[in-house]
Amino acid sequence: MSSKYISPISMDALSSLCGELGKNNSINKSDFSRYQVKRGLRNEDGTGVMAGLTRICSVEGYYILDGEKVAKEGKLSYRGYDIKDIIESCVEKNRFGFEEIIWLLLFGNLPTEGQLQSLYEVIDACRALPDDFIEDMIIKNPSKDIMNKMARSIMCLYSYDENPDDITIPNVLRQSLQLIAQVPTIMNSAYQVKRRAFYGKSMYLHPIVPGLSTAEYILRQTRNDKKFSDEEAKLLDILLMLHADHGGGNNSTFATRVLTSSGTDTYSAITAGFGSLKGPRHGGANLKTTAMMNEILENVADPTDEGQIKDYLVKILNKEAGDGLGLIYGMGHAVYTLSDPRAVILKKNARELAYKAGYEKEFKTLENIERVTPGLLHEIRGIEKDVCANVDLYSGLCYKVLRIPEDLYTPLFASARIVGWSAHRLEELTTSSRIIRPAYKSVSRKREYVPIEER
C-alpha cells in the first residue's frame, strides 16, 4: 500500500481558518427570494429551469395544465424510443441490448444488425488499456475510492492520446468510443488493486476475451472464477441500459456539457461527469439506500411486515435512526411523480432472480418501503406532492443479487452513464457555440480598502 500523505496544516489552524471563512460566507435565505434566485436551477414548484434543448433523451414525470404541475406515470425515452419498449423487446428475444443503446444514443437511430456487429468489433478492439497503464497508473497508486481512481485514470489517458485536444466531431467520437470500451476495464482494475492493497485479498486481472457483451465482460472480469449465468448477465444488461442516460439536466450530464461548452478536451469533460456522479445526492445514492436497508434488516424483527417497517421508517424520519438526516433513501425524484420507469422495470425483472438467489426477504422489505413511505411523508412532513420509488431503491439489491461488491455500485453506474455523457458532449459540440455561463448576484456590501498596517 502506498504511504499516506500527512497534511502540514494542523486541525487547530484549520478550526481557526474555518471560523474566518464562516463569518464571510453566509447568505441570508431571504435574499434568494428577494432577488428571485432559483437555487439548484429549480423553479419554486421543484421543476428544473429550462437551460437547453436535446434530442438525446426525454425524462417525463408530470405535465403542466393551466399553469399547475400535474403528476403522471413516468416515462424515459432514448431518441424518442420508450426504454420500456426497448427492454421488453430484448427480454422477449433473450438478447443483450446495452450495445444497441450505445449506438442509439450516439448516432440517433436504432442500429441494423451489421452496424451493431461493427460496434461490437470496435469495442472489442478498444477494451485494452495502453501498455503498462494498469501498472503505472493504478497498481502503483491504489485508491480507497474506485470512482476517484477511475476519474484519475481518465485524465491520465489524455497523455496517451496523440491528438487529445482536437474537438472536431470525428476525433471526439473516436475518443468517446474508446472510453466507453475502456471504462469497465479501468473499473475492474481499480477494484482488483483495492482488494489487494486495502483488503489483503487476491487480485484477479483476467485476459480480455473478445465477442462478449459489456454485461458479460464486466461479470467475467470481476469474478475470480470468471463464471456467470446468462440470467445474471441479462439482468446486469438491463441495469446498464437503464443507467445509460437520463436527460441533459441531471447533475453529471450537465457538468459534462458545461465543461464541453468551454472548448476543453474530452478527458477533462468526462472526468467532470465522474466527479459529479460520485456524490451521494447523485450516483452515490444507491450506497445510501443499501446502507439504509441493511440497517433495517438488522433492527426490524420482521421487515416483511408492513407495520414494523412503518414504525422504523418513522424513526428514520424523526432522525432517531438511519444516518441522522431524516431521509428515506430510494424514495422521491426531482422529475418523476407517480412512478420512476427505471424502478418499475428493475422491480419486474429482478424479482425472480432475487427470490432464486435467496433475497426474498430483502425484496419484500423494499416493497414495503415503497408502499408506506408516501403516506408517512404526508403524515409526518406534510408533503403533499406525489412521491415514488426511484431507481436507487432496487438497483442496490440487483447488484447484491449479482454478487457485485458495494465498491462497484456507483462505478457500474458510471460505466453505463459514460454513454450518455459522450452523446451529450457530441451534441453540445454540434449544436452550441456559447459557453454556459449563468449569472450570480453579488450580495457583498461595498467596503473601502484598508492598508495592512491599519487592520
Side-chain angles (χ1 to χ4, degrees):
M1 186 190 305
S2 59
S3 59
K4 293 182 179 179
Y5 172 76
I6 306 299
S7 173
I9 306 174
S10 70
M11 291 306 298
D12 287 341
L14 281 173
S15 178
S16 176
L17 290 171
C18 287
E20 288 296 311
L21 187 149
K23 288 188 293 186
N24 298 296
N25 281 281
S26 62
I27 295 177
N28 293 327
K29 288 186 178 180
S30 60
D31 284 345
F32 289 98
S33 299
R34 176 185 177 188
Y35 296 111
Q36 298 183 340
V37 174
K38 298 183 177 182
R39 287 183 288 175
L41 292 181
R42 303 280 188 89
N43 297 310
E44 288 187 9
D45 61 0
T47 60
V49 172
M50 197 65 67
L53 302 173
T54 181
R55 296 182 63 179
I56 297 169
C57 182
S58 172
V59 181
E60 303 171 39
Y62 58 86
Y63 62 94
I64 304 298
L65 179 64
D66 296 330
E68 296 288 331
K69 181 179 174 181
V70 182
K72 61 177 281 189
E73 297 294 340
K75 183 178 180 181
L76 172 62
S77 301
Y78 292 164
R79 297 286 189 175
Y81 294 98
D82 192 326
I83 188 62
K84 178 173 69 71
D85 295 335
I86 297 175
I87 290 178
E88 284 182 353
S89 175
C90 291
V91 171
E92 180 184 347
K93 297 182 179 179
N94 194 32
R95 63 185 178 85
F96 293 99
F98 181 59
E99 284 68 28
E100 185 172 324
I101 294 296
I102 295 174
W103 184 282
L104 176 62
L105 291 177
L106 289 180
F107 302 109
N109 289 308
L110 293 170
T112 63
E113 290 184 357
Q115 290 171 332
L116 190 58
Q117 181 59 37
S118 69
L119 179 62
Y120 265 96
E121 292 171 358
V122 168
I123 290 175
D124 276 344
C126 296
R127 286 273 190 225
L129 295 166
D131 292 343
D132 301 323
F133 185 92
I134 293 176
E135 181 178 356
D136 292 341
M137 301 299 173
I138 302 178
I139 293 178
K140 291 182 179 179
N141 294 284
S143 173
K144 291 182 180 180
D145 190 275
I146 307 302
M147 286 294 285
N148 276 11
K149 177 54 66 174
M150 292 172 77
R152 179 177 182 271
S153 296
I154 296 292
M155 285 299 294
C156 287
L157 284 172
Y158 174 98
S159 302
Y160 291 80
D161 192 329
E162 294 182 354
N163 196 19
D165 290 306
D166 179 0
I167 60 172
T168 60
I169 297 303
N171 194 56
V172 173
L173 178 59
R174 170 189 66 81
Q175 293 169 330
S176 298
L177 289 168
Q178 288 179 192
L179 288 176
I180 289 169
Q182 291 171 332
V183 160
T185 306
I186 295 171
M187 175 188 71
N188 178 64
S189 301
Y191 171 64
Q192 297 297 337
V193 172
K194 179 179 179 178
R195 276 173 55 92
R196 187 187 70 172
F198 296 99
Y199 300 153
K201 297 183 178 181
S202 297
M203 179 173 68
Y204 300 94
L205 295 173
H206 304 309
I208 295 174
V209 175
L212 300 178
S213 68
T214 299
E216 292 173 304
Y217 176 72
I218 289 172
L219 290 178
R220 184 184 185 278
Q221 296 303 105
T222 54
R223 294 185 176 180
N224 58 2
D225 60 2
K226 299 178 283 189
K227 295 179 180 179
F228 56 89
S229 68
D230 182 68
E231 192 177 19
E232 289 175 320
K234 294 289 171 49
L235 178 57
L236 180 55
D237 184 64
I238 290 174
L239 280 158
L240 294 174
M241 285 193 278
L242 291 174
H243 283 321
D245 195 32
H246 210 234
N250 74 80
N251 195 272
S252 58
T253 300
F254 188 63
T256 302
R257 292 194 78 133
V258 168
L259 266 73
T260 296
S261 74
S262 74
T264 195
D265 65 276
T266 295
Y267 303 97
S268 296
I270 295 300
T271 298
F274 273 90
S276 166
L277 195 69
K278 179 192 173 186
R281 294 181 180 178
H282 193 7
N286 50 36
L287 290 171
K288 286 285 191 178
T289 305
T290 299
M292 179 187 74
M293 187 182 76
N294 290 339
E295 179 184 329
I296 288 172
L297 293 172
E298 291 175 4
N299 293 280
V300 177
D302 181 11
T304 65
D305 180 81
E306 189 173 304
Q308 292 185 40
I309 283 292
K310 185 174 182 179
D311 291 341
Y312 201 80
L313 292 180
V314 169
K315 291 181 179 180
I316 290 177
L317 289 174
N318 290 331
K319 301 181 181 181
E320 298 167 356
D323 62 4
L325 296 178
L327 300 174
I328 298 176
Y329 295 101
M331 295 297 300
H333 192 269
V335 178
Y336 297 126
T337 52
L338 298 183
S339 64
D340 179 340
R342 302 168 301 172
V344 173
I345 291 170
L346 274 187
K347 183 178 179 181
K348 176 183 177 181
N349 287 277
R351 182 188 300 273
E352 183 178 346
L353 189 56
Y355 280 28
K356 187 184 297 184
Y359 292 105
E360 181 176 351
K361 182 173 72 173
E362 286 83 351
F363 199 92
K364 289 182 177 179
T365 299
L366 293 179
E367 287 185 305
N368 278 334
I369 293 172
E370 180 181 6
R371 195 159 33 241
V372 305
T373 296
L376 288 178
L377 290 174
H378 173 69
E379 293 171 20
I380 297 175
R381 296 281 172 80
I383 294 177
E384 298 291 341
K385 69 177 183 178
D386 295 283
V387 177
C388 65
N390 61 51
V391 68
D392 293 311
L393 187 66
Y394 289 98
S395 63
L397 180 58
C398 288
Y399 290 142
K400 193 171 184 178
V401 168
L402 293 173
R403 293 187 287 128
I404 290 170
E406 290 187 13
D407 283 318
L408 294 182
Y409 285 11
T410 309
L412 270 173
F413 193 160
S415 295
R417 186 55 60 84
I418 189 175
V419 179
W421 295 335
S422 298
H424 282 274
R425 172 167 168 75
L426 286 161
E427 185 179 61
E428 185 71 25
L429 289 170
T430 303
T431 62
S432 179
S433 59
R434 279 192 168 186
I435 187 171
I436 296 174
R437 201 237 183 254
Y440 268 65
K441 168 71 177 177
S442 173
V443 291
S444 294
R445 60 183 176 83
K446 184 178 179 180
R447 297 187 288 181
E448 297 295 329
Y449 179 78
V450 179
I452 192 169
E453 63 272 11
E454 297 178 19
R455 295 172 204 166

